[in-house]
Amino acid sequence: MTSPKATILYVEDDPDSQTLIHRILTHNGYRVLIAPTGLDGLDMARQHHPDLILTDINLPDMSGREITDRLRADGELCNVPIIAVTAQIHDFERRKTLVAGVNGYITKPINLQMLVHTVEECLAGQLPAPPIEDLDEARRAYHQELITRLEETVRKLETRNRELQRLDRLKDDFIQLTAHELRTPLTTVYGYSRLVQTLPAIQQLMATNTEANATLTGLLTAIERLHAVVDEIVIVSRIASGRVDLRLAYTNLAESIRQVIVDYTPVLTQRALQLQLTPEDWKISLVADKQMLEMAFSNLLSNAIKYTPDGGTISLYVERVEDADEPFVRIVFQDSGIGIAPEDQPYIFDRFYVTGDTQLHSTSKAAFRGGGLGLGLAICKGIVEAHQGHIWVESAGRSETELPGSTFYIELPLTLQLPN
Ligand code: ADP
């Protein structure tokens, strides 16, 4: 088989024209590539560096003139000869095409002999330069065409965007409604489950019968977990829809952090994790929603525990920063865990974003079971931002062997006022 004389890219959406030109040019010894849209044409030109490009003028996504314009601005493709294939034979249309920088044009319906001749001439560099004529008016018309198309595209994108936002709101409303509907019966179940644990007869049964003990413990743990998950979803959907009502009051950070630590003391002990903090430093009072703040602290501490292997260290710091324009308090949760990859860091505060396989996160796998909806940090962010604060993370990367650790920062203004 002889090697092709040259590679020709043909940008055309009409299948009949594609077939015809492909057949004729292949028959004449050329390699022919077909791109059905303007964007495909640009991609294929960049990928295959053809010797010649034939382009239809009226393509569904962009015009042949715009394709030419893009190629002429491309350092590697600016000199590729381009021939416009057009049914528009009006002189003005022809001049608009020349303005964009084509070397020549072929009119439709295509005269096959003429086609082969023009292609040969063009490849031999013999296609006469476009006649120098007054192209000003054509240039203006061409620019107008570009602006109109841009405007149309922006309008389409805006409509699409509004539709996506509407769907997003619908989804949020659906989640919120479902979570609310689930929460009502679940609260009752949760209440009964707590009650059951205090009944002497049940306590006695659990103490004497291992099977009953295992079954009831499993049941009660699952109910608690379900309750917590539904609560998380309710809160996160409220945050997402901007419906967080803060109950602001003077809040003592020392008290809040102590409360949170108490909840985690059993797991910290069980996993031999060291918790370091200087209680004196936490004696700071600020206007905040105590319950919300504790929820944010609780999520950060729970994550630090989840992603730090047994025997690791978690350090909590706090400091008042008075010398800024507006004084604030900086709270830091630092762990010696597996860390977070740089590519994940921008997304971990998004709803439902989780990274990797949580089963691998620790030597104490049991600590991970049931976790990982990907809502904890979204809740933290919503709470911190509702307080007009900031939250961010710093981590050198993720490694289960080197344990680079993660540091979460929260900054809260000290200037929030109590409502009147
Ligand atoms: P989850 O409920 O899955 O923990 P979060 O929103 O709290 O959801 O966290 C999102 C993701 O961020 C987690 O899946 C985890 O990969 C990562 N992450 C959060 N905190 C830490 C941490 N202290 N160390 C390592 N990775 C973390």
Side-chain angles (χ1 to χ4, degrees):
M1 223 172 89
T2 52
S3 59
K5 290 198 272 191
T7 299
I8 298 174
L9 172 65
Y10 182 34
V11 192
E12 170 67 78
D13 60 320
D14 173 48
D16 292 341
S17 303
Q18 288 175 357
T19 313
L20 179 70
I21 291 204
H22 187 274
R23 191 170 299 159
I24 295 300
L25 293 179
T26 312
H27 179 74
N28 278 273
Y30 297 105
R31 173 178 172 234
V32 181
L33 307 171
I34 304 280
T37 66
L39 284 174
D40 285 338
L42 289 175
D43 287 345
M44 287 172 77
R46 288 180 187 122
Q47 193 184 345
H48 298 282
H49 287 259
D51 302 292
L52 171 71
I53 297 172
L54 300 177
T55 178
D56 181 24
I57 288 294
N58 295 317
L59 289 155
D61 55 345
M62 55 203 299
S63 77
R65 285 188 271 277
E66 286 157 8
I67 296 174
T68 310
D69 221 13
R70 283 297 291 126
L71 292 173
R72 290 297 176 242
D74 186 310
E76 288 184 20
L77 294 161
C78 56
N79 293 320
V80 179
I82 303 173
I83 297 177
V85 183
T86 171
Q88 295 160 338
I89 45 164
H90 297 301
D91 191 45
F92 189 62
E93 289 299 328
R94 185 178 64 80
R95 282 195 286 160
K96 270 201 313 189
T97 312
L98 290 176
V99 163
V102 299
N103 294 63
Y105 64 93
I106 295 172
T107 46
K108 284 184 185 171
I110 297 165
N111 174 326
L112 298 181
Q113 259 179 336
M114 182 66 136
L115 167 75
V116 176
H117 178 68
T118 312
V119 165
E120 270 169 12
E121 256 192 340
C122 199
L123 283 169
Q126 287 165 1
L127 199 72
I132 298 166
E133 46 191 326
D134 181 12
L135 295 173
D136 266 3
E137 205 186 328
R139 193 169 284 132
R140 267 198 299 278
Y142 170 57
H143 285 161
Q144 199 52 49
E145 192 180 293
L146 281 185
I147 290 166
T148 310
R149 188 183 278 268
L150 188 67
E151 202 181 311
E152 272 169 15
T153 313
V154 170
R155 272 184 215 290
K156 267 190 214 148
L157 284 176
E158 275 176 354
T159 313
R160 187 81 50 90
N161 198 19
R162 272 197 297 274
E163 176 62 5
L164 285 176
Q165 281 174 352
R166 193 185 68 81
L167 290 176
D168 198 40
R169 272 197 304 275
L170 251 166
K171 182 209 65 197
D172 282 344
D173 288 350
F174 175 72
I175 293 177
Q176 194 167 6
L177 198 81
T178 314
H180 270 294
E181 290 300 312
L182 280 175
R183 192 151 78 154
T184 314
L186 207 60
T187 306
T188 315
V189 173
Y190 181 64
Y192 277 124
S193 80
R194 300 206 61 127
L195 190 69
V196 159
Q197 293 173 68
T198 61
L199 296 177
I202 298 289
Q203 282 178 346
Q204 201 192 347
L205 178 69
M206 287 173 78
T208 52
N209 185 323
T210 11
E211 214 176 319
N213 189 336
T215 312
L216 271 169
T217 309
L219 193 66
L220 298 175
T221 314
I223 291 172
E224 275 186 30
R225 174 75 195 137
L226 195 58
H227 192 249
V229 165
V230 172
D231 260 0
E232 270 191 2
I233 295 176
V234 169
I235 291 164
V236 88
S237 62
R238 256 193 226 151
I239 287 171
S241 55
R243 276 175 277 190
V244 201
D245 296 322
L246 291 185
R247 269 180 273 161
L248 293 177
Y250 279 105
T251 304
N252 187 306
L253 288 183
E255 226 174 80
S256 292
I257 201 72
R258 194 185 55 79
Q259 186 60 49
V260 171
I261 293 170
V262 165
D263 291 344
Y264 289 99
T265 303
V267 63
L268 287 165
T269 314
Q270 183 204 342
R271 307 244 340 260
L273 290 165
Q274 266 211 37
L275 186 68
Q276 295 184 334
L277 83 161
T278 314
E280 283 303 301
D281 295 350
W282 289 78
K283 289 188 176 158
I284 296 174
S285 186
L286 78 165
V287 172
D289 184 319
K290 183 170 180 290
Q291 206 185 350
M292 290 275 182
L293 216 53
E294 286 176 12
M295 190 182 298
F297 292 167
S298 171
N299 278 322
L300 290 178
L301 185 55
S302 144
N303 278 349
I305 293 170
K306 273 203 279 186
Y307 300 109
T308 303
D310 297 6
T313 306
I314 297 166
S315 310
L316 311 185
Y317 306 99
V318 64
E319 63 171 325
R320 287 177 80 107
V321 182
E322 303 277 2
D323 55 356
D325 284 349
E326 300 220 324
F328 62 88
V329 58
R330 183 179 297 133
I331 302 160
V332 181
F333 283 69
Q334 186 175 49
D335 64 56
S336 64
I338 58 165
I340 303 167
E343 61 270 24
D344 286 323
Q345 289 176 23
Y347 305 108
I348 55 169
F349 296 96
D350 291 351
R351 285 176 285 159
F352 301 111
Y353 189 86
V354 291
T355 67
D357 177 1
T358 46
Q359 291 301 316
L360 299 173
H361 283 170
S362 167
T363 48
S364 181
K365 290 181 184 169
F368 295 95
R369 291 222 185 97
L373 256 192
L375 290 179
L377 289 178
I379 290 175
C380 290
K381 185 167 185 266
I383 292 173
V384 170
E385 288 182 353
H387 284 85
Q388 295 164 36
H390 308 285
I391 181 167
W392 73 97
V393 66
E394 287 175 10
S395 172
R398 179 183 148 148
S399 163
E400 278 145 37
T401 48
E402 286 171 27
L403 303 174
S406 307
T407 309
F408 284 83
Y409 295 86
I410 291 181
E411 282 180 1
L412 295 172
L414 282 164
T415 45
L416 281 195
Q417 302 286 327
L418 285 182
N420 293 325

